[in-house]
Amino acid sequence: MPLRAPFWWYRRAGVLASALSPLAAIYGRMAERKAAEVKPYRSRLPVICIGNFTVGGGGKTPTAIAVAEVLKEAGERPCFLTRGYGGKVQGPVLATEGQSAAEIGDETLLLLAHAPTVVSADRAAGAKLIEGTDATVIVMDDGFQNPQLVKDFSLIVVDSQVGLGNGLVMPAGPLRAPLDKQMPSADALLLIGDGGRAAPLAKSFEAANKPVLKARMAPRGDGRWLGVLPVIGFAGIANPKKFYATLSQNGARLTGTRSFPDHHPYTERQAERLLRWAREWNAMLVTTEKDWVRLPEDDGTALSELRFRSRPLLIAIEFGEGNRLKRLLVEAIEKRRTG
């Protein structure tokens, strides 16, 4: 069952974080040992990894989609490689239209709308499957810490308003491994949104002569429909507050919100409550695209009615320096092919 990240991960380290520091040290050593024991597979295709240093969201999936679009402009044929978190399929398997989020994961469905997508818990096996397609480049959605596959370019995605939280390793903080162990494998940093929480990390990248790029999340298409009725926002993602802020910034009159854990599998009772709330307030239900695709299509349940009665806010990543990112990606791909 998905869990919410502890709120104190994103505050100055306190008593509880300090108490968990010994466990964090053990977790960090275990992560290092695991990576050292695996001999990574080097694919014959260039591998672009979209990852982060911490658990939870940050915008990896929309960034992976935006990167794939940049690669298409450069004449490449990208194929996504994903774990398919939240789905039952272990893979490796090429995702197909008509499969559900319960089968292949919600993020897989979002990726599949933009390029062929392979689901595989074993990243090396997934890369081998992609090599048998007409793809020219692999785009990994997450998997930066996964040691099974050699990455040719790793773009680290960070929410500027959150940064690295308290900077400690799980369970004392959100880091997946000690920062000094992760930095050498990172090739560039992408800061999404405005905020100063990631400024120290940006300085670390600049000090290491690694590119720091900026981007923002923006609604896709005309968002004037957000102002037609009062809005009830609901979301089961890593940072629902960011989603609600995006709604408000784009004209929504929020009358209420309801948050759930990341990748949350909605229940009939929860759907009924949201629908009843919308009727009582004469409000429009708005959710994320990732939440919306987890809801079943017309099967006569309250969950399918929730899908029909709610509307997803489609989000895209807009790069502040798109040409620079394109150059970095092309250079990494050419280096891989000629190296």
Side-chain angles (χ1 to χ4, degrees):
M1 184 67 150
L3 299 175
R4 287 192 179 92
F7 70 89
W8 43 267
W9 276 5
Y10 298 97
R11 295 184 178 181
R12 188 186 299 271
V15 175
L16 188 52
S18 299
L20 291 172
S21 292
L23 287 177
I26 295 173
Y27 183 91
R29 286 196 293 269
M30 288 175 60
E32 291 178 48
R33 188 178 302 116
K34 179 182 177 182
E37 292 173 351
V38 175
K39 183 178 180 180
Y41 171 69
R42 179 175 285 279
S43 175
R44 66 177 180 81
L45 296 178
V47 176
I48 307 298
C49 178
I50 312 301
N52 59 10
F53 290 149
T54 62
V55 297
K60 293 187 300 296
T61 297
T63 298
I65 291 170
V67 164
E69 295 301 325
V70 170
L71 291 172
K72 289 178 189 178
E73 293 174 4
E76 301 290 341
R77 296 187 299 277
C79 181
F80 293 116
L81 175 58
T82 179
R83 169 67 179 82
Y85 186 84
K88 298 176 182 177
V89 172
Q90 294 294 304
V93 63
L94 187 65
T96 59
E97 291 185 13
Q99 289 182 291
S100 68
E103 293 176 282
I104 57 176
D106 47 19
E107 290 163 346
T108 305
L109 295 178
L110 303 185
L111 297 169
L112 185 58
H114 296 268
T117 303
V118 165
V119 177
S120 185
D122 184 326
R123 303 304 207 286
K128 292 174 184 177
L129 177 58
I130 294 173
E131 290 172 358
T133 71
D134 69 347
T136 61
V137 59
I138 296 171
V139 179
M140 291 182 68
D141 179 17
D142 206 1
F144 174 68
Q145 290 81 9
N146 189 292
Q148 297 172 332
L149 189 62
V150 175
K151 292 89 171 174
D152 297 293
F153 186 84
S154 290
L155 179 64
I156 302 301
V157 180
V158 175
D159 184 334
S160 293
Q161 295 183 344
V162 176
L164 301 181
N166 61 18
L168 301 177
V169 176
M170 291 176 61
L175 286 178
R176 300 193 194 194
L179 183 59
D180 62 342
K181 302 298 182 183
Q182 298 193 74
M183 274 291 293
S185 300
D187 294 296
L189 174 66
L190 179 68
L191 300 178
I192 297 182
D194 298 320
R197 295 295 299 276
L201 181 62
K203 290 181 180 179
S204 296
F205 269 78
E206 291 168 348
N209 199 30
K210 296 183 178 184
V212 176
L213 310 175
K214 293 184 178 181
R216 72 184 188 98
M217 285 189 177
R220 298 204 312 263
D222 189 344
R224 285 179 292 181
W225 58 271
L226 279 170
V228 174
L229 291 171
V231 168
I232 292 175
F234 69 97
I237 57 176
N239 187 359
K241 290 183 179 179
K242 185 175 181 180
F243 171 64
Y244 305 143
T246 301
L247 289 177
S248 297
Q249 291 163 6
N250 287 276
R253 292 172 287 142
L254 277 177
T255 63
T257 61
R258 182 73 171 89
S259 302
F260 302 88
D262 198 11
H263 301 281
H264 178 71
Y266 292 98
T267 66
E268 281 285 288
R269 188 175 181 181
Q270 289 166 345
E272 290 167 356
R273 286 178 176 175
L274 286 167
L275 290 165
R276 184 170 60 250
W277 192 11
R279 287 193 297 269
E280 291 173 352
W281 287 85
N282 190 29
M284 176 170 48
L285 289 162
V286 182
T287 189
T288 72
E289 188 176 10
K290 191 169 95 167
D291 284 280
W292 194 77
V293 299
R294 288 203 301 278
L295 298 171
E297 295 191 44
D298 190 13
D299 62 2
T301 66
L303 286 168
S304 65
E305 184 181 353
L306 179 61
R307 180 185 174 108
F308 178 73
R309 299 292 179 187
S310 61
R311 185 165 179 173
L313 179 67
L314 306 183
I315 293 292
I317 294 290
E318 296 182 350
F319 298 111
E321 303 166 277
N323 289 335
R324 186 183 182 195
L325 176 63
K326 185 176 181 178
R327 288 197 301 271
L328 290 171
L329 294 172
V330 169
E331 287 172 4
I333 290 171
E334 289 303 312
K335 182 179 180 180
R336 172 68 179 86
R337 289 171 177 162
T338 59

